[in-house]
Amino acid sequence: MKAKTHLSIGFIGAGSMGLPMLKNLISSGYSVTVYDINTGVTNRLEKDKIRTVNNLRAIANNDFIISMLPDTPDVLGVFNRETGINQFLKPGTIVIEMSTISSSSSIEIGKELQKSQIEFLDAPVSGGVKGAIEANLSIMVGGKKDTFNKSLNILNCMGKNIIYAGKLGMGQTFKMCNQIMVATHIQSMCEAFALCKSKGGDLKLLKDTLVGGAANSWMLENLGDLVIDKNDKAGFRIDLQLKDLRLASEAAFETGVSLPGLALVQSLYLQSRAYKEGKNGNQSLFKTYDRMTNQK
Ligand code: NAD
């Protein structure tokens, strides 16, 4: 449904996630202008009649700025005090930073922008490309409650489960907790399947049995069959999973909490990458288990 709005959005980063998200904003009635560093991306958007610009200055004059970029250094570059978009943003602009990056960097960027009366939310997402296309992402938001309330209509165009997580940086902290559980659930599924296989058990039957009981998980339901069929197709890639586990480890170092499960699963995913499986979907951790248990 088209929103009755005159609000404009500058969208930075039209990749696997950003592109479907910005398309949902356009179909909801928002006026969206896009900047992406890759001109191949912006040329394709222009062909689809989506407005693009070729520098950060040209995108700064919007009511909202949304960014969906790969990693912390990319976001720090875009929101750099001296060379980034900051110098061009007008007071009252709301920045919604939706990439998965370090919570401490989010806090740093948010505090810097607030000095110039620019409002900031850290709002990473969960739900993958499918969730982005279907506009049912989970969005975990940190920042001022008032800024969150002003941004809700926009967030609702991209997601279904919009959670106010708390103060600045708390969206990213929630996302890291999410990623620890995603990875350890996959790891425990691969481990259970490895034992069952070693005993000659029926993996399909095991999966159907576990789905009905206390061991069920989103990973078992959605990725279990891919593991059994040895399908390593990319959804959420091993490389991205490792990036998120690295961010979670950095956060654990910052507060000094011991998270042994995180250390273990990070090490297993590093093995996958060492075998050049970084572009595979994160369920392909089963290959590491096949190697460790000498099974096919
Ligand atoms: P992607 O690599 O597909 O897209 C990133 C886009 O940003 C690219 O088009 C790239 O050209 C552009 N870009 C890079 N640096 C830029 C810069 N300095 N200025 C402007 N544009 C720039 O990545 P993605 O899969 O869309 O992921 C984006 C973020 O969302 C990541 O932080 C990722 O961890 C997170 N995320 C991804 C998924 C997923 O399933 N892919 C799910 C949840 C969260």
Side-chain angles (χ1 to χ4, degrees), residues 12-18 35-38 41 68-70 74 78 99-100 125 128-129 175 236 240 243-244:
I12 308 174
S16 313
M17 296 292 289
Y35 170 66
D36 193 291
I37 203 164
N38 180 342
V41 170
M68 195 54 172
L69 299 161
D74 309 300
V78 163
S99 331
T100 304
V125 308
V129 175
K175 171 72 183 179
F236 188 71
L240 281 177
K243 179 202 72 162
D244 293 354

Side-chain angles (χ1 to χ4, degrees), residues 11-21 34-39 41-42 44 56 67-79 97-101 124-132 137-138 140 172 175 178-179 235-237 239-241 243-244 247:
F11 202 106
I12 308 174
S16 313
M17 296 292 289
L19 182 60
M21 287 161 71
V34 182
Y35 170 66
D36 193 291
I37 203 164
N38 180 342
T39 49
V41 170
T42 44
R44 277 196 296 282
L56 285 172
S67 51
M68 195 54 172
L69 299 161
D71 202 349
T72 309
D74 309 300
V75 179
L76 285 172
V78 163
F79 294 101
E97 210 302 291
M98 304 190 76
S99 331
T100 304
I101 64 164
V125 308
S126 170
V129 175
K130 187 166 178 281
L137 291 166
S138 288
M140 298 153 263
Q172 295 293 353
K175 171 72 183 179
N178 183 78
Q179 292 311 84
F236 188 71
R237 296 188 305 276
D239 281 341
L240 281 177
Q241 181 75 74
K243 179 202 72 162
D244 293 354
L247 294 172

Side-chain angles (χ1 to χ4, degrees), residues 28-259:
S28 300
Y30 286 97
S31 161
V32 179
T33 307
V34 182
Y35 170 66
D36 193 291
I37 203 164
N38 180 342
T39 49
V41 170
T42 44
N43 289 343
R44 277 196 296 282
L45 293 183
E46 286 285 335
K47 280 192 191 131
D48 286 346
K49 308 258 179 298
I50 295 174
R51 197 178 322 118
T52 69
V53 292
N54 63 8
N55 62 78
L56 285 172
R57 179 177 207 145
I59 208 169
N61 192 24
N62 283 290
D63 302 302
F64 285 80
I65 298 289
I66 298 179
S67 51
M68 195 54 172
L69 299 161
D71 202 349
T72 309
D74 309 300
V75 179
L76 285 172
V78 163
F79 294 101
N80 182 286
R81 185 162 33 134
E82 270 128 37
T83 55
I85 194 170
N86 305 25
Q87 47 185 329
F88 310 119
L89 293 172
K90 57 182 191 296
T93 308
I94 295 182
V95 172
I96 310 177
E97 210 302 291
M98 304 190 76
S99 331
T100 304
I101 64 164
S102 102
S103 57
S104 49
S105 296
S106 283
I107 294 170
E108 193 185 305
I109 294 167
K111 285 193 171 157
E112 186 60 38
L113 289 172
Q114 281 166 6
K115 285 185 201 159
S116 315
Q117 285 77 52
I118 294 152
E119 300 180 53
F120 181 86
L121 296 174
D122 56 298
V125 308
S126 170
V129 175
K130 187 166 178 281
I133 294 170
E134 293 171 359
N136 61 16
L137 291 166
S138 288
I139 309 182
M140 298 153 263
V141 190
K144 291 191 176 141
K145 188 73 190 277
D146 176 51
T147 312
F148 172 76
N149 290 336
K150 286 191 261 184
S151 307
L152 252 183
N153 285 344
I154 286 183
L155 295 172
N156 275 321
C157 299
M158 298 180 280
K160 283 259 150 43
N161 188 20
I162 321 287
I163 302 298
Y164 177 66
K167 63 185 179 185
L168 196 59
M170 199 50 74
Q172 295 293 353
T173 299
F174 273 36
K175 171 72 183 179
M176 284 167 218
C177 298
N178 183 78
Q179 292 311 84
I180 291 173
M181 292 192 66
V182 162
T184 50
H185 283 176
I186 292 176
Q187 179 257 335
S188 67
M189 167 169 63
C190 291
E191 198 153 303
F193 285 10
L195 174 65
C196 185
K197 211 171 356 176
S198 74
K199 293 282 190 185
D202 179 339
L203 290 187
K204 289 260 184 214
L205 183 60
L206 175 72
K207 185 219 147 189
D208 291 345
T209 307
L210 300 188
V211 158
N216 191 25
S217 68
W218 189 100
M219 294 300 147
L220 184 64
E221 277 185 33
N222 291 280
L223 301 181
D225 288 334
L226 294 180
V227 171
I228 294 166
D229 297 340
K230 303 212 167 293
N231 186 335
D232 59 12
K233 75 171 184 191
F236 188 71
R237 296 188 305 276
I238 296 256
D239 281 341
L240 281 177
Q241 181 75 74
L242 265 169
K243 179 202 72 162
D244 293 354
L245 295 175
R246 190 198 79 226
L247 294 172
S249 292
E250 285 166 7
F253 267 96
E254 280 165 19
T255 50
V257 289
S258 164
L259 303 178

